[in-house]
Amino acid sequence: MEKTLDMHAKPVLDKNNRLAEENRNLFAEKKVFVLNILASPGSGKTSTILATIEALRDEFNIAVIEGDIASSVDSEKIKRQGIAAVQINTGGACHLESNMIARAVEVLDLDALDLILLENVGNLVCPTDFDLGENAKIMILSVPEGDDKPLKYPGVFQVSQAVVLNKIDTMPVFDFDQGAFVDHVRQLNPQAPIFPISATKGTGVEAWADWLAEKIRAL
């Protein structure tokens, strides 16, 4: 059974990876840094994106691609901040794919952009296998989700260049062992920095935004 599933998955991934490489070449040509944001539903992806935009918008031109199974609620929030946003509704698919990104960027002026934030569909499993042509993947975990998530979903922590721990203002309310969480992440991904933040209150956002800004400038 495992072999059959692999045979079906490989052509899909091969095609996705070919298109991802085309995306990557286009982004490199246009000198646009693309960040693929992975997280569970309710972790605060959109609030983190909004806080990141607020921290970086004076220096960089930013656009957002929103991936959801349905609705345009999040992209409308982004547009109200004066930021270009493209909505992708997957209609049930649990992740974004490189062909979706290729279509989405057609409506963006890449020559005028420095940073594209890709909000992937809320899921800690499927998106890890699909290269979108991004420069980096990061993942957001919120305190209410629990400190054991790296043990349950190791793959997403292993592929991420950074980990954002959101909603730290709720730490007193939840039984979250931050030391254990950091240890779990370090075992899976020793290089990835961990940024504890409260996106809605602004706590810790500056350190996270500085890390991202360095990556964009290096491009």
Side-chain angles (χ1 to χ4, degrees):
M1 177 64 73
E2 223 171 279
K3 203 173 285 186
T4 305
L5 289 172
D6 287 345
M7 286 173 62
H8 281 84
K10 190 174 186 303
V12 173
L13 288 173
D14 285 348
K15 181 181 178 182
N16 180 83
N17 290 341
R18 286 195 301 273
L19 291 172
E21 195 58 30
E22 292 178 15
N23 289 345
R24 183 172 289 107
N25 291 337
L26 175 63
F27 299 144
E29 177 190 337
K30 300 296 184 179
K31 294 183 172 57
V32 180
F33 189 94
V34 180
L35 186 70
N36 186 0
I37 301 170
L38 312 176
S40 300
S43 62
K45 293 190 300 295
T46 304
S47 60
T48 300
I49 286 172
L50 288 169
T52 304
I53 288 169
E54 189 61 30
L56 297 179
R57 67 187 304 163
D58 288 345
E59 181 176 357
F60 303 110
N61 293 321
I62 305 169
V64 177
I65 296 176
E66 286 281 347
D68 289 296
I69 289 174
S71 91
S72 60
V73 172
D74 291 339
S75 61
E76 293 303 322
K77 288 180 184 176
I78 302 296
K79 289 176 182 176
R80 285 197 290 272
Q81 303 306 311
I83 297 295
V86 182
Q87 181 70 51
I88 299 175
N89 288 335
T90 65
C94 61
H95 56 270
L96 294 176
E97 297 183 12
S98 55
N99 64 318
M100 300 175 186
I101 302 305
R103 291 197 298 271
V105 298
E106 288 177 358
V107 302
L108 295 173
D109 182 3
L110 295 181
D111 290 317
L113 292 175
D114 303 302
L115 171 65
I116 297 176
L117 300 170
L118 305 178
E119 181 176 338
N120 218 311
V121 179
N123 191 308
L124 293 182
V125 181
C126 305
T128 60
D129 291 331
F130 285 82
D131 182 7
L132 304 178
E134 70 273 12
N135 294 86
K137 290 182 176 72
I138 66 110
M139 73 93 50
I140 302 169
L141 183 84
S142 64
V143 166
E145 294 174 78
D147 54 60
D148 60 350
K149 284 297 178 289
L151 302 177
K152 295 180 177 180
Y153 302 96
V156 69
F157 289 91
Q158 289 170 326
V159 302
S160 296
Q161 276 76 41
V163 175
V164 174
L165 177 62
N166 193 21
K167 304 186 184 181
I168 58 169
D169 52 305
T170 68
M171 199 88 72
V173 181
F174 293 93
D175 183 20
F176 188 96
D177 186 334
Q178 188 170 354
F181 171 74
V182 170
D183 287 344
H184 297 329
V185 174
R186 290 279 172 264
Q187 290 170 22
L188 295 167
N189 191 340
Q191 287 78 37
I194 301 170
F195 297 100
I197 74 165
S198 171
T200 56
K201 297 184 183 305
T203 309
V205 172
E206 184 178 357
W208 149 245
D210 285 346
W211 178 87
L212 181 55
E214 285 184 17
K215 300 291 183 186
I216 301 167
R217 294 185 197 113
L219 192 64

